[in-house]
């Protein structure tokens, strides 16, 4: 019998010395976690050259006058051409929305983009291209090897904290200073 820890709806905080440079100083929101693996979205790395308006235009979705100016984030290295929208729980797509918990949901269908283009849709949103994925036991092994810290996710940290401040904000939530972290795992 496997002792499975469910990290769905939690945040992963990359430790200093993260082996994969794509995840350096990353904060990842875990959308789903089971014995079959995990899927999450990096929530603190906006792309430098792509805003939601340009993405909508590329998808032949006409932006309306109420479209919010919004960055598109690097969600992770898997399927980086596919879009994912992490949002507050109040919105549900007519096609498909994954309810993460009572506070967060994720939608990956075009109808949410059409709603956002017209100023509708969820109030709190992170638009991401790509996702972070782990196979069975892979995330647990990375945590055991001192690759990630975990903490609870809250809407203020996820949606309202500026992207450059999310990593340290997540650490502060744990009562940990970034200066106190080490890249080396301790062994007793």
């Amino acid at each position: 019998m496997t002792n499975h820890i469910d990290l769905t709806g939690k945040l992963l905080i990359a430790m200093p010395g993260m082996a994969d440079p794509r995840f350096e100083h990353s904060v990842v929101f875990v959308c789903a976690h089971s014995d079959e693996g995990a899927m999450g979205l990096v929530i603190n790395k906006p792309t430098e050259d792509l805003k939601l308006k340009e993405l909508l235009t590329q998808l032949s979705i006409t932006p309306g006058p109420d479209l919010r100016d919004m960055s598109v984030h690097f969600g992770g290295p898997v399927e980086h051409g596919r879009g994912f929208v992490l949002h507050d729980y109040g919105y549900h797509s007519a096609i498909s929305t994954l309810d993460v918990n009572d506070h967060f949901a994720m939608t990956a269908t075009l109808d949410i983009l059409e709603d956002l283009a017209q100023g509708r849709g969820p109030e709190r949103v992170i638009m991401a291209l790509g996702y972070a994925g782990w196979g069975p036991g892979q995330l647990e092994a990375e945590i055991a090897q001192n690759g990630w810290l975990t903490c609870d996710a809250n809407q203020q940290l996820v949606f309202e904290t500026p992207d450059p401040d999310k990593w340290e904000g997540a650490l502060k939530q744990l009562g940990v200073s970034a200066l106190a972290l080490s890249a080396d795992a301790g062994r007793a």
Side-chain angles (χ1 to χ4, degrees):
M1 181 172 171
T2 312
N3 287 336
H4 174 71
I5 299 169
D6 186 1
L7 297 173
T8 301
K10 303 283 187 188
L11 294 178
L12 302 175
I13 308 162
M15 287 289 288
M18 169 61 71
D20 189 334
R22 297 172 294 187
F23 291 106
E24 184 178 352
H25 284 97
S26 287
V27 178
V28 178
F29 181 88
V30 180
C31 298
H33 185 215
S34 71
D35 287 335
E36 283 128 37
M39 179 269 182
L41 299 172
V42 177
I43 60 166
N44 67 327
K45 296 199 174 194
T47 59
E48 294 180 17
D49 55 349
L50 186 62
K51 294 281 192 186
L52 180 58
K53 185 175 184 177
E54 288 89 34
L55 179 64
L56 293 173
T57 302
Q58 290 175 15
L59 296 170
S60 301
I61 298 172
T62 305
D66 296 325
L67 174 69
R68 293 176 269 169
D69 184 34
M70 187 183 312
S71 295
V72 175
H73 287 70
F74 164 76
V78 182
E79 290 191 54
H80 58 268
R82 186 169 174 206
F84 299 87
V85 181
L86 179 65
H87 54 87
D88 54 14
Y89 186 79
Y91 173 90
H92 282 82
S93 160
I95 300 172
S96 177
T97 292
L98 170 67
D99 292 330
V100 177
N101 59 29
D102 291 343
H103 304 286
F104 296 94
M106 192 268 299
T107 302
T109 52
L110 280 178
D111 60 332
I112 192 170
L113 296 179
E114 292 165 348
D115 285 347
L116 289 170
Q118 299 307 314
R120 298 186 307 265
E123 173 95 15
R124 295 173 165 180
V125 174
I126 292 179
M127 174 67 212
L129 288 178
Y131 68 93
W134 294 267
Q138 184 181 3
L139 178 56
E140 294 83 352
E142 289 180 15
I143 291 169
Q145 294 165 0
N146 205 39
W148 301 98
L149 291 174
T150 62
C151 73
D152 290 332
N154 65 64
Q155 288 191 1
Q156 181 183 5
L157 180 64
V158 172
F159 296 119
E160 296 173 23
T161 302
D163 291 320
D165 300 332
K166 287 180 182 174
W167 187 74
E168 285 193 27
L171 289 173
K172 282 182 187 171
Q173 198 169 285
L174 289 174
V176 174
S177 166
L179 299 173
L181 293 178
S182 169
D184 299 319
R187 301 283 185 256

